[in-house]
Amino acid sequence: METLKVLRDYFPMAVFTGKCLVFISEEWRVELTEHKDKDFSKSDAEPSVIRVKISKKALDGEFISGHYEDFQLASLGELAEQIEKYVQLAIGSNIREI
């Protein structure tokens, strides 16, 4: 959750639900969740995996899960930049405008 809390500052238009960051618009829902590796033999120095899941609203008003991508970058600035670029390319719109 620590990485999501930092990303919340980078994406002020997102809502933090306590378990994920959510961007929502009339057409799209973008959800960021944090996953830690449960392998205790590995060092804690490995960054968390941030899963970015994109859903599009169907004609009936329900969001249909589309695709997702996992990001695992040590630099939080680079992580935020790459997530922003990925979402913008996937939805064809500026993430700061949704």
Side-chain angles (χ1 to χ4, degrees):
M1 292 299 167
E2 297 306 313
T3 305
L4 286 181
K5 289 177 182 176
V6 173
L7 288 174
R8 177 178 56 184
D9 294 335
Y10 188 85
F11 300 115
M13 70 299 279
V15 175
F16 183 63
T17 68
K19 76 172 206 176
C20 66
L21 271 179
V22 178
F23 305 84
I24 195 158
S25 72
E26 290 183 24
E27 296 179 45
W28 300 97
R29 175 185 170 94
V30 178
E31 187 176 297
L32 280 63
T33 53
E34 183 173 357
H35 303 273
K36 292 250 185 216
D37 192 351
K38 300 289 187 208
D39 185 353
F40 295 111
S41 66
K42 293 182 180 179
S43 71
D44 286 339
E46 250 185 68
S48 298
V49 172
I50 302 298
R51 176 163 289 168
V52 179
K53 186 168 94 174
I54 299 176
S55 305
K56 183 167 177 68
K57 189 178 274 189
L59 294 175
D60 65 1
E62 295 294 318
F63 284 100
I64 300 171
S65 290
H67 52 282
Y68 69 87
E69 190 65 46
D70 291 339
F71 291 81
Q72 189 174 22
L73 300 166
S75 164
L76 289 172
E78 184 180 3
L79 175 66
E81 288 174 13
Q82 292 303 311
I83 289 172
E84 183 173 19
K85 184 189 297 185
Y86 173 77
V87 172
Q88 286 179 182
L89 291 171
I91 67 174
S93 174
N94 187 332
I95 193 172
R96 298 183 186 273
E97 295 174 0
I98 66 169

